[in-house]
């Protein structure tokens, strides 16, 4: 499984033969100006919640690639009206796809579309393939519910956690989250895109290392393999 960071909370995940895009917000992110959305491949687009900084490029990419949306019921219904196909889920549910199984997990946040319409309840995803299990938290506060993930779904290879604070968890709570998740390998996201969420990266690395957790921060366009 190859995970490429596309800036902010946007990821591209290549499994053996499918590509999943997560929360594409690229054309609105000055820091991601070297990523060309017309060159991104996608078989599926997974959307954690309806905020602008998670959905901005969904429509353009889905219409060009024919990618299918996986998200909560309300977000899938919103894109169905635009002629984009999707698979609706809700918290606690899992569904099988041709690349593996997706669980829609709880997140403590909000989820309205940019025009104020209801975007369902925010979530995160656990993606399981034959060989890997990956948790993508979405925008969320620290929540005790995270303890249930390894307990119910199984051991994680990697957890992708927001670390930018202000709108989500910050560094200290993300460390606590990685303990709840029983996961030592953390990919940080949702930081530095705009002023409210700028972080001190050295402080983040030091604090994670002091807690014996491995924090990975990728350059935009950079990738890691699990
Ligand atoms: Ni949000
Ligand atoms: Mn966000």
């Amino acid at each position: 499984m190859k995970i490429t960071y596309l800036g902010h909370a946007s990821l591209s995940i290549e499994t053996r033969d499918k590509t999943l895009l997560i929360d594409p917000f690229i054309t609105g992110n000055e820091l991601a100006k070297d990523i060309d959305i017309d060159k991104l491949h996608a078989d599926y687009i997974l959307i954690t919640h309806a905020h602008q900084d998670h959905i901005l490029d969904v429509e353009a990419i889905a219409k060009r690639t024919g990618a299918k949306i996986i998200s909560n019921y309300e977000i899938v219904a919103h894109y169905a009206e635009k002629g984009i196909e999707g698979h609706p889920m809700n918290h606690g549910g899992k569904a099988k796809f041709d690349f593996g199984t997706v669980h829609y997990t709880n997140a403590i946040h909000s989820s309205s579309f940019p025009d104020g319409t209801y975007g369902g309840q925010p979530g995160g995803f656990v993606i399981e393939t034959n060989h890997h299990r990956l948790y993508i938290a979405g925008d969320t506060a620290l929540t005790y519910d995270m303890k249930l993930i390894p307990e119910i779904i199984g051991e994680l290879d990697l957890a992708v956690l927001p670390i930018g604070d202000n709108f989500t968890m910050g560094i200290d709570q993300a460390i606590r989250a990685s303990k709840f998740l029983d996961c030592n390998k953390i990919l940080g996201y949702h930081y530095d895109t705009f002023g409210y969420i700028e972080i001190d990266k050295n402080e983040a690395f030091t604090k994670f290392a002091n807690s014996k957790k491995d924090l990975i921060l990728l350059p935009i366009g950079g990738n890691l393999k699990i």
Side-chain angles (χ1 to χ4, degrees), residues 163-166 190-201:
I163 57 170
D165 218 325
N166 193 76
H190 211 278
Y191 66 94
D192 277 3
T193 317
F194 25 79
Y196 290 121
I197 61 172
E198 271 169 22
I199 64 159
D200 179 338
K201 289 191 269 298

Side-chain angles (χ1 to χ4, degrees), residues 49 51 53-54 109-110 139 167-168 190:
H49 65 294
H51 286 162
D53 61 317
H54 298 257
H109 195 64
S110 55
D139 285 11
F167 297 117
T168 67
H190 211 278

Side-chain angles (χ1 to χ4, degrees), residues 146-208:
M146 289 169 176
K147 280 178 181 273
L148 288 173
I149 290 174
E151 218 175 290
I152 291 174
I153 304 176
E155 194 181 325
L156 297 169
D157 297 295
L158 178 75
V160 183
L161 302 178
I163 57 170
D165 218 325
N166 193 76
F167 297 117
T168 67
M169 294 187 281
I171 295 160
D172 295 321
Q173 295 191 1
I175 291 169
R176 182 66 73 93
S178 62
K179 290 175 185 165
F180 285 0
L181 293 161
D182 217 0
C183 183
N184 290 330
K185 203 170 176 185
I186 305 302
L187 175 64
Y189 78 165
H190 211 278
Y191 66 94
D192 277 3
T193 317
F194 25 79
Y196 290 121
I197 61 172
E198 271 169 22
I199 64 159
D200 179 338
K201 289 191 269 298
N202 287 329
E203 182 197 343
F205 285 124
T206 304
K207 284 185 165 177
F208 272 80

